Amino acid sequence: MAFRGPRVWLWRWRRNPLKRRADTVEAWVLLGTWLLTALLGVSAGHAAARSVENGMARERVEWTAVRGVLVEKAPGRTDRETADSRDRVWGTVRWVAPDGTRATGQIRVAPGSVAGTPVTVWTDRVGRLVSEPATAAEARLRAAFVGGLVGLSAAAMPLVGGRLLCGRLRRHRLDRWDVAWARFDPLGDRRTG
């Protein structure tokens, strides 16, 4: 293996008598692409994460736990030894909305629960049935996940655009090389000896 010498950093920006205008344009396009990719990815990811976390914090404040009762017996067996605590079935519950009206809806309850069993129902400000709000730790995890996905997606746009533009510049440069070689070597088709 031949020794190639030290690696030259930022070779696109060095002065060189053989450097063409196309090389300079490509260097600026690459720099702009990487700056836009980093800036857009970080800012979009941060904004999305903050939005998700603020929305979930608002849910924790606005949604309230209300005591409800099971209207009818829930399907399934009540055998606690065989039932997993995560196993839930749909059951009809009734609760009193903030405006004083009675409301009914379906929530997940333990299998085999009898009618009249007290259950916790989560409602919004209007009294509509909602799911249990995420805890602060769950909200941070979801916000980080959503922010990461949005950041990567937003960063992909300038990165792909820059790659496409650099590809067009390379094709244009190669076409110019072909024209220059055709002008320089008109006898290039002749075979020697």
Side-chain angles (χ1 to χ4, degrees):
M1 182 168 129
F3 179 72
R4 294 180 184 223
R7 184 176 180 140
V8 179
W9 293 100
L10 301 173
W11 63 269
R12 293 177 191 273
W13 299 100
R14 293 182 53 212
R15 293 188 187 274
N16 184 343
L18 299 177
K19 185 166 78 169
R20 299 164 303 233
R21 183 172 178 263
D23 296 329
T24 304
V25 169
E26 186 176 353
W28 281 106
V29 166
L30 283 174
L31 178 65
T33 297
W34 284 110
L35 287 176
L36 271 176
T37 298
L39 181 68
L40 194 60
V42 169
S43 61
H46 182 66
R50 190 174 54 230
S51 174
V52 168
E53 197 161 3
N54 289 342
M56 290 185 167
R58 191 176 331 104
E59 288 175 357
R60 281 193 302 278
V61 170
E62 293 176 356
W63 294 358
T64 57
V66 177
R67 183 182 163 117
V69 293
L70 197 59
V71 175
E72 56 193 26
K73 182 181 183 306
R77 293 176 36 174
T78 59
D79 188 7
R80 297 259 184 233
E81 291 80 29
T82 60
D84 187 4
S85 63
R86 292 174 290 173
D87 289 340
R88 298 284 187 184
V89 295
W90 289 103
T92 304
V93 295
R94 183 179 347 186
W95 69 95
V96 177
D99 62 0
T101 60
R102 288 187 174 266
T104 59
Q106 295 264 324
I107 66 167
R108 305 285 275 177
V109 295
S113 299
V114 296
T117 302
V119 293
T120 302
V121 177
W122 287 90
T123 61
D124 61 5
R125 283 188 287 172
V126 183
R128 290 183 302 234
L129 190 62
V130 293
S131 61
E132 182 177 356
T135 64
E138 291 171 341
R140 280 192 301 273
L141 181 64
R142 288 181 193 173
F145 183 70
V146 169
L149 285 177
V150 169
L152 287 174
S153 300
M157 290 187 301
L159 187 63
V160 168
R163 297 286 292 185
L164 290 173
L165 186 56
C166 282
R168 283 193 66 163
L169 289 172
R170 283 189 197 108
R171 280 194 301 274
H172 180 68
R173 186 174 57 230
L174 289 175
D175 290 344
R176 291 191 60 175
W177 267 100
D178 287 343
V179 168
W181 275 108
R183 202 174 27 203
F184 175 74
D185 190 19
L187 303 176
D189 288 341
R190 290 190 188 174
R191 305 264 187 239
T192 57

